[in-house]
Every structure is written in structure tokens, then in C-alpha cells.
Amino acid sequence: MKTKRSKATDISMSVKRKVWERDNGCCVICGNNYNVMPNAHYIPRSKGGLGIEQNIFTACTRLTKNDCHYKFDNGTKEEKEILRKIVKDYLLSIYSDWNEDSLFYKNKH
């Protein structure tokens, strides 16, 4: 059985569909539209990043030469800083009230 946190950080199919449409089926980092998936978390799941539209973006998979999702998560410090800025600016352009603090799972006791 999944924990509340695990459920909150999962990406539902409805969120994936909405993000896919929002991002026009393209990687928001490089614009590629081949072997991309709407399953990248801006705030990582490991840090409690929610599986909501405002925290999810479409990125290249490991099957592309750009490999944007992997670089976003595991690149050099410099790569990650650059890619985080690109994604943050993109999400800010879509959601006028976008706020990183609202993207974390908060345990409600």
C-alpha cells in the first residue's frame, strides 16, 4: 500500500495528459518532440515534489542524444543550474502565481 506522500508525488495519467498538451508534446528545455515524456518533476519526488501540473514538465528521455531529463536530475552542477532556470522560467510564463514553496508535499497531522 502506498503512503500518502508516495500518492501525492506520483503523476496521474490526467496530469500527464494535461502537461503533454500544455507543452505541445515537446521537451521544454530543448524543444525536441521525439522520445519525450511528461514525467519530469521540477521539485524532485525525493524532496517531496508533488505530482501536479505546476511541478511536472515534458523532457527528453534517455533515448535521445539531448537526454534533458537525465541531465536535469543528474548533470553537473552547472548543467543543473542552467536547466533548472530554463524550466523555472517556462513554468513562470505559464502560471502567473507559480511558487516553488507550493510544490512540496506537506504532511498534515
Side-chain angles (χ1 to χ4, degrees):
M1 178 177 270
K2 288 188 174 188
T3 65
K4 288 182 182 180
R5 178 183 165 129
S6 180
K7 287 179 186 175
T9 60
D10 277 352
I11 310 169
S12 70
M13 283 307 297
S14 65
V15 167
K16 287 183 181 186
R17 278 192 292 276
K18 289 174 186 172
V19 169
W20 181 259
E21 283 184 31
R22 179 198 70 200
D23 299 344
N24 295 312
C26 296
C27 175
V28 302
I29 295 169
C30 72
N32 175 44
N33 67 353
Y34 181 73
N35 280 325
V36 297
M37 295 287 294
N39 63 355
H41 285 71
Y42 178 78
I43 302 296
R45 288 185 70 170
S46 62
K47 294 183 179 176
L50 297 172
I52 60 174
E53 292 172 55
Q54 295 83 353
N55 192 43
I56 306 302
F57 62 96
T58 303
C60 296
T61 68
R62 301 288 316 254
L63 300 174
T64 66
K65 66 179 180 170
N66 295 343
D67 202 3
C68 293
H69 189 171
Y70 181 81
K71 288 177 185 172
F72 183 85
D73 290 341
N74 303 296
T76 65
K77 182 180 178 187
E78 294 78 22
E79 281 178 322
K80 291 195 295 189
E81 285 176 5
I82 291 166
L83 298 181
R84 281 187 66 78
K85 180 169 179 6
I86 291 169
V87 175
K88 181 178 183 174
D89 289 349
Y90 174 75
L91 292 170
L92 279 166
S93 76
I94 303 290
Y95 305 104
S96 59
D97 61 345
W98 188 86
N99 179 341
E100 285 186 46
D101 293 335
S102 67
L103 305 178
F104 289 91
Y105 173 75
K106 293 173 180 66
N107 192 3
K108 298 170 186 142
H109 289 287

